[in-house]
Each structure stands twice: as C-alpha cells, then as structure tokens.
C-alpha cells in the first residue's frame, strides 16, 4: 500500500485539470462557437436554447480527477457510476480530457475544432442528451431517472473481485425509495469473491427547487444513518479548492487502505466477516465555482444553480458578461495549447488505456461477455404420451434446468438468479441443490440456504433486484429475474429505462457490444392468485412492455412445462432484449411433448391439429388461446363442443410468442398478412382466450383482415379470494362461457344450439352453488382431462 501524500505540485495540476473539466462542462451547456474564448464572447456564440444541468457538474468533476489519481497511484480497476440525473456534462468532459471520448467518436477531435463539436452536440438536435446515456463512454447508469445508481453499482461488483465501482449518489436521488433500499446491498457483497462498491454521497444541498433532506439533518444524525446502513462514512466538506483537494486526496488514500485491508483479511487470511465498507460524504456548494449572484439573487450554493444559472445570455448583455467572466475564471489559456489540445502535463494525470474510466471494458460489458454453458433441455423434459392427461408444475421443471445452468457455470461465476424472496415460492428450489441465497449478514440456527457465497439474490425490494440484475448484465454477465406477476409493476419505470438503453445502444451506438438479455419469469400469475385475492391479480406488465420498441421486447406465454423449458433456453441465449415469460407454478395438464414444444416455439404460433376438427381446412370457428389457464379453458370448451355439437368444425390456434400477432412490418417476430390469414381465416369468428387484458390483443391485430370477427376474452379486473376456476368464471374466460360464445357467434348454429347454451348456463349455476357450499371447485373441473383417444399433437 502506497501511503505518500500528494505534493503541492500534483495538487496544483489536479486543480488545473478540474478547472478544465469545469470549463468543458459550462461550454457544453452554453457555447455554439468560440470554444476557447479566443475572441470576445458575443450572443451568436451562445446556443439559442440553453438546456442541461450545471449544479452537480463541478462536484462530479472534482471526484473524477481524484479518482483518476487513485487509479494511477494504486493501479485500480475502477468504473464510475453517477446517480445525479443530468450529470452528463461532467462525464463527457472528463472522458474527452482522458481521450476515450475521441476514441469512440473520432470526429470529436482533441483540438479547437473538436471542442466546438463537443460543445455544439450537447442537448442539441442531432447531438447527445443532457444525462448519461448509452452514448456516454464509461456509463452503465441511465441518468434519465433517479434512484438506481447504487443498485447498478452493486450489480456490477458481484463476481468482479478486482473491480471497484465508485458510485456517486446525488442527495436528491437519495430521497428515492429505490436508492434507500439499495443501501442494504452491502449485506450481499462477499469480500472474498466480489468486487467493491465505494458509495460517494454528494451533498450539494438542493434539488431543482427545494433543499434535500440529507443536507438538512444534523451531521451526527446523517453519520448515524449511514453507519446504521453498515458503512463507515468519511466526510469531506468545504468550498475552498486548495484545502478540498488535499482533504479529498487524503480521504481517498485512507478509503483505499481500508478496502485493501478488508480484501487481505477475506482473501489471504480466509476470515469470514461482513466488512463495514467505507464510503465518502462530499459536501460542496451547489454549482460550485459558478456565478455567485445573478440578477441580484444568490446563485452558487442554492437551487438556482441546479440547471442553467444564466438563462438570457443571448438577449441580456449583463448575463452575457457574467458568462464570459465565468468561463474566463477557469483560465482556459493555461489549460489548452494553441491548437486547443489539453496541455501534456495535465493529460498525464489521466490513467492509461483500459484503466481510464471511460474506456474500462466493464462499462461496455459486451466486450467481456462469455457464452453460458447450457444443458440440453431434453434432460429435463416432461413425458407427455398423450396431450392433456398428465400433470406437472412448469416452473418446478424449469428449476431443475436452472439448477444445472448454475452448476455448469459455477467456475465462470457469470450467472445469478434474482427475485424478491420468491425463489422457493415460484418452485425454483432446485437451485438450492447447487447454491444458496447470497447473505453476508447475521445467520442463526434454522436459517435456510444462506451463505456469503450464494448465487441466488433475494431481497424484498423489486427495485434492488432489478438494479442488481441490470448492473450485472451491463458489465457482461447473465441472469434471470423471477417475480410474482402482479408486483413486477414496481419496476415498470426501471424496465423503461433499461429498454430505452438497449434500444439506443443497439441501434445508435455501434461501439456498445451486445449484452445478455434481461429475462423476466413472471409466475404466481393472475389466474392462480385465487388464494391471495384481488390485490395480487394484475397481468398488466405485458401491456407496459408492449409499448416499447419492437426490436427490444419479446413476450412469451408458454402453455406447459416443455414449452417453458424451450422458451427459457432461448431467452438465455439471446442478446440485447427484454424477454418476458409468464408461466404458472401450480400442477397443470401438459399438452406438448418436447419435440412438439420445440416445433411450436420455433413457430411461436400454430394450429393444434390434435385438438382441432376442421380437417377440411375450412373451420366454422377459430378458438385461439395464449397462456396456460386460457389454454386449459379453451381446450375444455372444445371438448364440450365436440360432445354437444359434434358437427361443428373447430380450429384451435395457440400463441406462445405474443408478438407474432403483430404485422411483420411492426415487429421482427410479426406474421405476414398471408400467414396470419391462413391461421385465423379472413371471415370466420375468432374467439381468443387471453392471459391478460383483452385490449392488447385488439391493439396487436387491429390491422388484420379479420379483425372485425375477433372477440377477445381476458382479465377484466374481476377477482377476489375464491377458487381457481371461479377466477376464470368471474372474468368470462371459462369453458362454459366460451361454449356460449361459440353458440352466439357462429351464425350456422342459430336456434339449434339453444339447448347447449342453456346447459352451459346450468353448469355455471352449479359451479356457483358448489363452491359456496364446499369451498373448492366441482370434481368435474378439478379432475378434467383431455379425451385420451386424441392423437399426439402436430404443431
């Protein structure tokens, strides 16, 4: 460990580097031309629309130059995660100064012309956004929404023993629920095998128009709070640059020493303990080094410096003069040579090669991605000799497969399963045959599968699970997020941010390498939440996902265990996608052999010939279904139709890949018009039994030829604590009401089927009376199976 303190000469150079970063940050917000102030500043040199955020930039710049010193001094492998939402000017400035920005964007050269391009592009049409984004070198944290930085940082650190993730947490961001829960991530970090997260809480006192909570509590209270979270806080406070540089350098040296000592105890001595990891609290003025006053109002150190302190530069000569004095205060003539390039003695302060935080491959995780070793799905398949006669728990079957994915990749340490305390509940307990739950907090007798080296990540915060997984994926690893369907909505906004990141990274940023897909397994779904009641019944995450770019999202509704196996295998092999898989965990009838499941998943949609009776290819009605319970009810309805209306020609179409319903012009998986019409006909009634809200099916198919004949049944916000079948009845997707629908919709039946309709009404009445008296579904419902004389499926 190197303990020498920085010389005054080094600190002076660091201050100059900091001034250069501050100058570039201000220039990005304001300047259209005259990037080095080689001539007096005029209104036409200023952007017509001033967008961006200044207030957080000087603190981020200050931290970046000091972390650069630590990287160089200790040869650290470090990335920089920034929580302050619109801190991009600082990150862009520093990656430009270290040279990594120009390597990714060759047109932005390190000279006066390149500086002008750097300034012009910021928050400008055809340029870059005002927050960190895929276009920002070194970033893995989308800055458009606050709260996710610390969870991302820990996700990046898991299984990266030599990586330090410096994570700057804005004091506004610290007020979010997602960030508040993420502090507890230190109880899941194994000092022997994982990397290190260095949280840096940046207290500059204000949000966009209000003070921040953590800046307005007593220092002892703040220290107690952070110590209560399990950290050792180190405070660096002030506004005078010279003393702040020395204080920060000394503090970082101390913090790195603590980290090294923890690693020695865990990795060399083999000691098992939970470190009280160090963190830094940096307290500086909002808009540090910016204008002290504007229009007679205090600006530096207040909320007025949060965004654009000078808003009328092109029209108010006084504002223009203040901007010129502000830019000149950084003395750009002392920082850049005649060509506009950073002076060599300052450029030397940046780390070299991959040690630069903007060029670290961990921040472009596709560079480090290794293929998962995946077992053959054939080893886990359920034997289905005849459709609809045997039972299995789909997610329990998947659990055995995931167990061996975990086992095969134990040495690579690049696969984890995440979920909010629901791994066992969702029938994935086979994972615990090869690993445990990650847990570095206290353990007591009777605890179940808790270990610091565990690879199942459970915390009762969907935000934290999602953030961990995103950080893990963005740094080049693989994973799966298992959750109850109703409560995945908690991360709706986090999904938004990640989906947008993937879209931009894959289509607009060619140097971003593809990463493993984000895979959701949604179980304990709406149709089997009869025991938990209305609060647990919501299939709407699918609708939310379907709003995103078609190139990024996929939605799968496998109807049984074998189709779930095949789907999961394909999702784990995919890249740059968000895959949503909805599957039940209860014992259900099985429909497809593995061979048929493979064929079915290849197609994503198809006719189930063994269940259909339109042998001449001209059905009277098309019975379509998507989802395990809707499939069961559809097939039970078909069985009733065969019994009561044997002359009726029924075609059964099952949909596993929901996006197949869209036109091919709208989604990569979409069907052509001809293919869609061949399945659904151009003029026959279509009764579609769907897992979620029915409007989505209409939305996906509204341009189809036969849309006017499409009638969709789905969840309609009817639910309570009841029986499984009664959930279907309450929402009109049950077998009896489907038969009634056929009677009503097929014009050739007419009055001939009146007795059939009446019989179905009687069945619904019998059902209601039975469950009220007995508390469970009728035996004919509970014990129903597909007729054993049917042939094997041909999909």
């Amino acid at each position: 460990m190197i303990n020498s303190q920085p010389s005054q000469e080094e600190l002076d150079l660091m201050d100059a580097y900091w001034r250069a970063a501050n100058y570039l940050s201000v220039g990005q917000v304001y300047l259209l031309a005259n990037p080095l102030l080689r001539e007096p500043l005029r209104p036409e040199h200023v952007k017509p629309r001033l967008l961006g955020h200044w207030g957080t930039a000087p603190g981020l710049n200050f931290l970046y130059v000091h972390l650069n010193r630590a990287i160089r001094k200790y040869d650290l492998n470090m990335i920089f995660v920034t929580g302050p939402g619109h801190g991009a000017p600082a990150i862009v400035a520093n990656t430009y100064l270290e040279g990594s920005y120009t390597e990714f964007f060759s047109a932005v050269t390190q000279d006066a012309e390149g500086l002008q391009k750097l300034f012009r592009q910021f928050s400008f049409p055809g340029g870059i956004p005002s927050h960190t984004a895929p276009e920002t070198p070194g970033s893995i944290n989308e800055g458009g929404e606050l709260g996710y930085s610390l969870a991302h940082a820990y996700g990046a650190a898991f299984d990266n023993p030599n990586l330090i993730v410096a994570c700057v947490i804005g004091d506004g961001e610290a007020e979010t629920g997602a960030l508040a829960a993420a502090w507890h991530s230190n109880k899941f970090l194994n000092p022997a095998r994982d990397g290190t997260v260095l949280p840096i809480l940046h207290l500059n006192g204000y949000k966009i128009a209000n003070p921040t909570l953590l800046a307005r509590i007593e220092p002892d209270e703040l220290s107690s709070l952070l110590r209560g979270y399990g950290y050792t806080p180190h405070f660096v406070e002030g506004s005078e640059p010279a003393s702040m540089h020395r204080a920060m350098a000394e503090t970082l040296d101390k913090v790195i020493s603590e980290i090294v000592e923890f690693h020695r105890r865990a990795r060399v001595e083999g000691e098992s303990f939970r470190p009280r990891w160090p963190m830094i609290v940096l307290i500086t003025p909002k808009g540090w080094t910016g204008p002290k006053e504007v229009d007679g109002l205090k600006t530096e150190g207040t909320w007025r410096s949060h965004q654009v302190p000078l808003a009328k530069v092109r029209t108010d000569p006084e504002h223009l003069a203040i901007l010129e004095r502000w830019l000149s205060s950084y003395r750009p003539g002392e920082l850049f040579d005649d060509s506009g390039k950073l002076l060599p003695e300052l450029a030397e302060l940046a780390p070299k090669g991959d040690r630069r935080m903007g060029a670290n491959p961990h921040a472009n995780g596709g560079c480090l991605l290794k293929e998962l070793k995946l077992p053959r799905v054939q080893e886990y398949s359920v034997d289905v000799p005849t459709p609809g006669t045997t039972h299995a728990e789909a997610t329990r079957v998947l659990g055995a497969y995931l167990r061996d994915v975990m086992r095969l990749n134990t040495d690579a340490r690049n696969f984890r399963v995440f979920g909010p305390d629901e791994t066992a509940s969702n029938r994935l307990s086979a994972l615990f045959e090869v690993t445990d739950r990650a847990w570095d907090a206290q353990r007591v007798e009777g605890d179940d599968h808790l270990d610091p080296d565990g690879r199942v990540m459970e915390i009762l915060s969907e935000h934290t699970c999602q953030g961990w997984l995103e950080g893990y994926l963005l740094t080049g690893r693989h994973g799966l997020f298992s959750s109850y369907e109703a409560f995945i909505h908690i991360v709706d906004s986090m999904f938004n941010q990640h989906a947008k990141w993937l879209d931009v990274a894959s289509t607009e940023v060619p140097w971003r390498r593809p990463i493993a897909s984000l895979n959701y397994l949604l179980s304990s779904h709406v149709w089997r939440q009869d025991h938990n009641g209305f609060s647990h019944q919501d299939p709407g995450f699918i609708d939310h996902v379907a709003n995103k770019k078609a190139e990024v999202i996929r939605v799968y509704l496998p109807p049984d265990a074998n189709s779930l196996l095949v789907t999961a295998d394909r999702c784990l092999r995919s890249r740059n996608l968000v895959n949503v898989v909805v599957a039940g965990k209860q014992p259900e009838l099985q429909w497809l052999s593995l061979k048929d499941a493979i064929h079915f998943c290849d197609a994503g949609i198809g006719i189930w010939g063994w269940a259909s009776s339109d042998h001449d290819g001209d059905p009277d009605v098309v019975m379509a279904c998507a989802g395990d319970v809707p499939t069961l009810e559809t097939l039970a309805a078909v069985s009733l139709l065969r019994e009561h209306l044997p002359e009726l020609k029924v075609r059964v179409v099952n949909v596993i890949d929901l996006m197949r319903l869209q036109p091919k012009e709208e989604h990569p998986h979409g069907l052509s018009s001809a293919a869609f019409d061949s399945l659904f006909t151009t003029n026959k009634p279509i009764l579609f039994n769907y897992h979620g809200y029915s409007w989505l099916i209409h939305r996906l198919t509204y341009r189809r030829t036969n849309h006017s004949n499409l009638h969709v049944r789905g969840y309609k916000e009817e639910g309570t604590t009841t029986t499984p079948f009664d959930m279907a009845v309450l929402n009109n997707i049950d077998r009896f009401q489907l038969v009634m629908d056929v009677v009503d919709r097929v014009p050739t039946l007419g009055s001939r089927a009146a007795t059939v309709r009446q019989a179905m009404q009687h069945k619904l009445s019998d059902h209601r009376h039975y469950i009220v008296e007995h508390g469970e579904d009728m035996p004919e419902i509970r014990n129903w199976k597909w007729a054993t004389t049917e042939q094997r499926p041909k999909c």
Side-chain angles (χ1 to χ4, degrees), residues 406-660:
M406 188 73 76
R407 177 181 57 81
L408 289 171
N409 295 280
T410 296
D411 292 340
R413 300 187 65 83
N414 63 345
F415 177 71
R416 294 196 182 211
V417 173
F418 301 77
D421 193 32
E422 292 159 4
T423 306
S425 175
N426 283 333
R427 309 292 197 266
L428 303 179
S429 297
L431 283 161
F432 300 129
E433 298 172 20
V434 296
T435 189
D436 296 308
R437 298 176 176 92
W439 186 264
D440 208 29
Q442 183 182 16
R443 285 173 285 166
V444 300
E445 185 177 354
D447 284 340
D448 182 40
H449 289 289
L450 301 182
D451 190 89
D453 204 31
R455 308 189 58 73
V456 173
M457 312 299 297
E458 290 191 342
I459 183 174
L460 200 51
S461 164
E462 284 84 355
H463 286 125
T464 305
C465 291
Q466 173 88 14
W468 284 347
L469 177 55
E470 288 180 3
Y472 200 66
L473 298 175
L474 287 161
T475 48
R477 280 75 64 74
H478 306 256
L480 176 113
F481 185 177
S482 169
S483 175
Y484 279 23
E485 182 183 43
F487 304 130
I488 198 64
H489 276 298
I490 293 169
V491 300
D492 276 1
S493 195
M494 295 186 77
F495 154 77
N496 281 346
Q497 298 298 316
H498 190 73
K500 290 174 185 291
W501 177 287
L502 290 177
D503 176 48
V504 173
S506 60
T507 60
E508 300 179 26
V509 188
W511 51 266
R512 286 274 180 192
R513 300 287 296 277
I515 62 171
S517 296
L518 194 162
N519 301 306
Y520 291 101
L521 173 65
L522 306 186
S523 195
S524 299
H525 60 55
V526 58
W527 300 110
R528 295 308 304 265
Q529 281 297 330
D530 45 277
H531 58 300
N532 280 321
F534 198 35
S535 65
H536 284 54
Q537 297 162 3
D538 189 332
F541 187 68
I542 295 173
D543 304 55
H544 181 61
V545 168
N547 290 329
K548 298 304 160 201
K549 286 290 189 69
E551 291 76 12
V552 172
I553 62 101
R554 305 287 186 267
V555 178
Y556 300 103
L557 296 161
D560 65 359
N562 285 334
S563 56
L564 175 60
L565 270 177
V566 176
T567 299
D569 183 79
R570 294 180 182 192
C571 290
L572 289 175
R573 297 178 191 274
S574 68
R575 300 289 179 265
N576 272 8
L577 298 175
V578 176
N579 296 307
V580 179
V581 182
V582 185
K585 66 182 184 181
Q586 302 295 344
E588 294 281 5
L589 287 170
Q590 302 299 296
W591 312 106
L592 303 174
S593 69
L594 182 65
K595 179 180 178 181
D596 293 320
I598 291 171
H599 291 164
F600 178 38
C601 292
D602 281 343
I605 186 173
I607 298 170
W608 281 11
W610 55 272
S612 302
S613 56
D614 64 325
H615 304 305
D616 61 358
D618 184 26
D620 296 314
V621 64
V622 177
M623 304 285 282
C625 46
D628 51 7
V629 170
T631 296
L632 168 66
E633 292 304 312
T634 296
L635 291 171
V638 169
S639 181
L640 288 168
L641 289 169
R642 288 189 171 191
E643 177 185 350
H644 294 281
L645 298 168
E647 75 283 3
L648 188 71
K649 294 185 292 184
V650 179
R651 174 179 294 178
V652 177
V653 175
N654 195 274
V655 182
I656 182 171
D657 181 348
L658 200 62
M659 296 302 108
R660 297 291 274 165

